[in-house]
Amino acid sequence: MRQKLFKRPTEKTGLLAGAMSGFFSCLFLFVTAYSAHGQTVQFVDVTKAVGIDFVHHSGISEEKRLPETDGSGAAFFDYDGDGDLDLYLVNSGDLISGRGQWKNALYQNEGGHFSDVTDRTNSTGGEAYGMGVVAADYDSDGDADLYLTNWGPDLLYRNDGSVFTDQTDASGLVNDAWGSSAAFFDYDNDGDLDLFVVNYVDFTLETHKWCGHEALGLRFYCDPRQHNPTSDWLFRNEGDGTFTEVGQESGISSRGNGLGVVCWDYDGDGDQDVYVANDMEPNFLYENRGGGKFDEIGLISGMALSADGASQAGMGVDTGDYDADGDLDLIVTNYQLENNALYRNDGMVFTEASFQVGLGEISLNYLGFGTLFLDVDNDGWLDLFVANGHVHDNIELYDKLVTYEQKAQLFVNKEGTFSEITAQAGPAFEATYVGRGVAYGDYDDDGDLDIVMNNSEQPAVLMRNDGGNSSNWLQIELQGTVSNRDAAGAVVYVESEGWTRMQQVKLGSGYQSSSQKNLFFGLGQRDAVDRIRVVWPSGIQQDVMGVKANQKILLVEDEQ
């Protein structure tokens, strides 16, 4: 196997307070033990200190137009190919007056400090009302491009080195619906990246309705059932820079109120399936049957509804092997009084295990949006981050149980169960936000994962991880040759003395966002791994033996 080694320096309680008292006693004991072992992670808000001054503008109004409360996303990606992570933040604008000064922002990473290069790179985001972003090398030319979802026409930016070029019309990626989240993946395993776009509802200014509490004289945002559901889009990459929409003929035909999406191989059969989180409708699981065909199996898989059989207000979604059993599980964030749903992969069916693993009741008083599986303390177990923030800016006037701004939550994974450590996780977790899109990435190259959160009608926040790198780590970049160049869908196993962890490359997840492409493995106190096994989307399997910890490596697919 060809490989290159690049070394990096190391360096509200729930509703039932009485019922929760025992839980918090156990949590206190766990956090004490956790800290005593030197693994305490502290996240610090370094947004202004590193040169980021982005403020999201939604055009929030007394008219309570639905798009005003749903954006927007963020992306960590290396736009200039210099080996560190740059940052893209999506703005929205105003539904009536347009974008105006409220453009998107591209921040170039200059050794841990950022410079705004938006205007110079022609990446302002166009004129449509902004929602989400996903970064991927769709044309396989070695640099990362951007796809932007909008209320209004979506936009494809081709990376031409020093500038981005609008290729929307030329590429055929025309979506005039209300695009929310998107993900690149190679659904037909032909070596190039296809695109799945989740559309929300059929909202227009002309069909905008009045929703609220007449007796109290309060108006609030309508729920999505006041508008018609929409179909999602599957765009097939033709290999020449153009795409063809093939959703209906491929079986992507269900209509829903889609907000979140992730592409993953849930059944381990070598092709990519698609999960869509729907708002107040059953969620979709599109199983890839091969030959370009999908079947929607959300209900029979156990992933469409809550544990008690109800539709929930699905927002953000992510996948990860949280229990280290060798298959990918899934998390979906939901509305207040609906627990965030953790679907444990039990083979051909899933079990909603939120209450079993400590994530159930503790999420009821929050409204979750972006979410991430990531190892914040490098101990080899995937922890969980949830961005919270209500959709109603006046919620506190008629519901005393919740607030509009809410704290983000951090849950540490202790061998398959979770405990909330938000109160111990540092000053970045002390503030409240109207959280929306989130992404992770090691922007400062210090060996632990940092988090960026885009917030509705607020400044974005960059949370630097101080302390995760007290344990060892390994970062793996994959480059496909037979497979798609970004290696989307590739599965990597890291093995060390009977200890195994697996991850899969994904391009787009969380909520309207895109985290770093490279896979990041926490290793605990292991100073090396015995073997790295890569299962490429092409089916090629390759091994690398005896790799030292605390470095970034590039693995290139061999053409067998």
Side-chain angles (χ1 to χ4, degrees), residues 265-419:
D265 185 5
Y266 90 91
D267 51 4
D269 65 351
D271 51 31
Q272 294 292 287
D273 313 294
V274 182
Y275 188 85
V276 177
N278 285 314
D279 189 0
M280 305 187 79
E281 296 283 348
N283 300 321
F284 300 148
L285 174 59
Y286 287 108
E287 184 176 19
N288 193 334
R289 297 294 194 185
K293 300 297 184 181
F294 290 85
D295 289 337
E296 202 288 293
I297 61 165
L299 284 174
I300 63 174
S301 71
M303 302 183 71
L305 305 170
S306 68
D308 56 359
S311 295
Q312 295 181 296
M315 309 286 188
V317 59
D318 199 15
T319 60
D321 185 11
Y322 85 92
D323 51 0
D325 66 348
D327 53 29
L328 292 169
D329 313 291
L330 184 139
I331 183 75
V332 182
T333 58
N334 292 302
Y335 202 77
Q336 70 178 91
L337 302 183
E338 298 175 347
N339 64 282
N340 294 333
L342 177 68
Y343 294 99
R344 186 183 65 224
N345 191 334
D346 291 329
M348 296 306 294
V349 296
F350 287 76
T351 300
E352 209 281 76
S354 304
F355 286 86
Q356 298 175 26
V357 301
L359 296 175
E361 187 162 356
I362 204 165
S363 65
L364 290 175
N365 264 11
Y366 296 88
L367 197 160
F369 271 89
T371 187
L372 303 168
F373 278 122
L374 74 166
D375 188 353
V376 298
D377 51 7
N378 291 0
D379 68 348
W381 291 90
L382 290 178
D383 309 304
L384 182 67
F385 175 89
V386 180
N388 297 306
H390 215 280
V391 295
H392 299 310
D393 58 316
N394 54 0
I395 184 67
E396 294 159 58
L397 296 178
Y398 59 92
D399 189 340
K400 302 302 182 183
L401 291 177
V402 293
T403 59
Y404 181 48
E405 296 183 8
Q406 301 178 0
K407 287 187 176 182
Q409 292 175 288
L410 184 63
F411 300 89
V412 69
N413 185 341
K414 185 64 173 179
E415 299 183 359
T417 61
F418 292 89
S419 294

Side-chain angles (χ1 to χ4, degrees), residues 184-195:
F184 279 101
F185 71 132
D186 187 1
Y187 83 94
D188 49 7
N189 279 343
D190 65 351
D192 49 35
L193 288 174
D194 312 298
L195 177 67

Side-chain angles (χ1 to χ4, degrees), residues 47-292:
T47 314
K48 293 182 179 179
V50 300
I52 296 171
D53 58 357
F54 179 89
V55 179
H56 177 262
H57 182 73
S58 68
I60 191 169
S61 70
E62 293 300 320
E63 296 298 314
K64 306 297 182 188
R65 304 177 183 97
L66 189 54
E68 296 169 352
T69 195
D70 281 351
S72 55
F76 271 126
F77 75 120
D78 183 7
Y79 101 88
D80 52 5
D82 64 353
D84 55 25
L85 290 172
D86 309 299
L87 177 61
Y88 194 82
L89 295 167
V90 177
N91 219 324
S92 294
D94 190 284
L95 288 168
I96 303 301
S97 60
R99 275 295 184 121
Q101 62 177 313
W102 306 106
K103 59 190 177 184
N104 297 351
L106 174 60
Y107 290 95
Q108 184 177 37
N109 191 337
E110 298 173 339
H113 191 274
F114 292 88
S115 296
D116 188 335
V117 296
T118 312
D119 292 330
R120 175 161 60 84
T121 57
N122 190 34
S123 56
T124 58
E127 297 302 319
Y129 188 92
M131 283 289 156
V133 57
V134 58
D137 184 9
Y138 83 91
D139 53 0
S140 300
D141 65 349
D143 50 31
D145 313 293
L146 295 173
Y147 183 84
L148 306 178
T149 58
N150 299 304
W151 178 77
D154 290 355
L155 190 153
L156 176 67
Y157 273 142
R158 187 184 66 203
N159 190 337
D160 289 332
S162 59
V163 298
F164 286 86
T165 303
D166 184 347
Q167 288 291 297
T168 310
D169 292 337
S171 69
L173 288 176
V174 178
N175 178 29
D176 292 332
W178 178 356
S180 179
S181 297
F184 279 101
F185 71 132
D186 187 1
Y187 83 94
D188 49 7
N189 279 343
D190 65 351
D192 49 35
L193 288 174
D194 312 298
L195 177 67
F196 196 99
V197 180
V198 169
N199 295 314
Y200 192 32
V201 296
D202 184 17
F203 173 90
T204 67
L205 296 177
E206 292 74 23
T207 59
H208 173 50
K209 300 179 180 180
W210 194 99
C211 295
H213 196 300
E214 293 186 8
L216 295 177
L218 290 174
R219 185 172 189 176
F220 47 76
Y221 291 99
C222 296
D223 73 50
R225 294 171 299 184
Q226 303 302 314
H227 305 278
N228 292 326
T230 57
S231 298
D232 302 320
W233 297 87
L234 174 62
F235 292 95
R236 184 180 64 216
N237 191 331
E238 304 296 354
D240 58 359
T242 65
F243 291 78
T244 302
E245 206 289 306
V246 295
Q248 291 292 321
E249 67 187 71
S250 299
I252 310 297
S253 56
S254 300
R255 299 173 70 86
N257 308 324
L259 283 176
V261 65
V262 66
C263 299
W264 59 326
D265 185 5
Y266 90 91
D267 51 4
D269 65 351
D271 51 31
Q272 294 292 287
D273 313 294
V274 182
Y275 188 85
V276 177
N278 285 314
D279 189 0
M280 305 187 79
E281 296 283 348
N283 300 321
F284 300 148
L285 174 59
Y286 287 108
E287 184 176 19
N288 193 334
R289 297 294 194 185

